Amino acid sequence: MANLTQREFQEAVELLAGNLGLQRLRDKLVRLNGLVTRRKAVSAASLADQLYLLSGGLRRQVPTTFAFYAIWNEHLHDKLGEDGEERIEKLAEAVNACLGDNDQVAVEKEGELDTALAAYQGALVASAGPEVARLDMLLKAVPAVAARLRSNPPPAAGPAPE
């Protein structure tokens, strides 16, 4: 999986805090052993910085990383539902089919990859909104695809949910 930049990670934590509430997010992280302090979070940005350091930018396999992913996936599941998750899974298979050895983009499938990424993003945007879609795609992408998403994002396909 690709690594989020510190700014992207901060955006993800801010989205979760906006959805759950900052203190409720902190409480969930404590309950999942992602944090060991009971002090209240001052801001989403400071919580994001703390989580980023504890998880090594989600690169370390520590309770903080697992807690973040659990909360993020729960948030996404709430937005997508069972049917949406199945659809996203099928679209992800189309993206993965465009990868070759060592998770690099197969040269002959670059056009197919762009189409598959646009379909995947469109489905996520329709259910979860453009920011959640962008960050979720970066969280789940292999490094070659994440670099492609950052340099040339697929066009948004569909309105954001309300």
Side-chain angles (χ1 to χ4, degrees):
M1 290 222 247
N3 297 317
L4 293 180
T5 65
Q6 190 163 2
R7 179 68 198 133
E8 291 165 344
F9 185 79
Q10 184 175 350
E11 290 172 24
V13 172
E14 287 171 356
L15 279 169
L16 290 173
N19 185 56
L20 296 171
L22 182 61
Q23 297 310 321
R24 188 163 172 230
L25 173 59
R26 185 200 54 83
D27 291 344
K28 279 187 162 210
L29 288 162
V30 168
R31 210 170 24 258
L32 294 170
N33 295 321
L35 290 173
V36 293
T37 180
R38 291 267 181 208
R39 286 191 321 217
K40 294 201 181 272
V42 177
S43 69
S46 66
L47 180 61
D49 289 343
Q50 184 180 14
L51 294 173
Y52 193 82
L53 290 172
L54 288 170
S55 69
L58 299 177
R59 288 182 290 278
R60 296 174 52 209
Q61 292 190 3
V62 295
T64 303
T65 301
F66 301 135
F68 173 82
Y69 275 117
I71 294 168
W72 180 265
N73 288 330
E74 178 184 318
H75 172 70
L76 194 61
H77 176 76
D78 290 346
K79 299 266 185 199
L80 295 175
E82 286 294 322
D83 293 336
E85 281 188 3
E86 288 176 13
R87 181 169 182 236
I88 292 294
E89 200 171 298
K90 287 178 184 169
L91 293 169
E93 288 174 11
V95 172
N96 291 336
C98 298
L99 301 177
D101 296 333
N102 298 325
D103 289 331
Q104 296 298 315
V105 178
V107 176
E108 67 276 4
K109 294 189 177 186
E110 287 193 20
E112 290 177 43
L113 178 63
D114 290 335
T115 303
L117 286 173
Y120 186 91
Q121 183 185 34
L124 277 174
V125 167
S127 298
E131 284 303 305
V132 172
R134 182 179 65 82
L135 292 169
D136 190 62
M137 288 176 74
L138 289 171
L139 274 169
K140 294 176 179 169
V142 296
V145 173
R148 187 181 193 102
L149 289 170
R150 287 183 179 115
S151 66
N152 186 23
E162 295 189 22

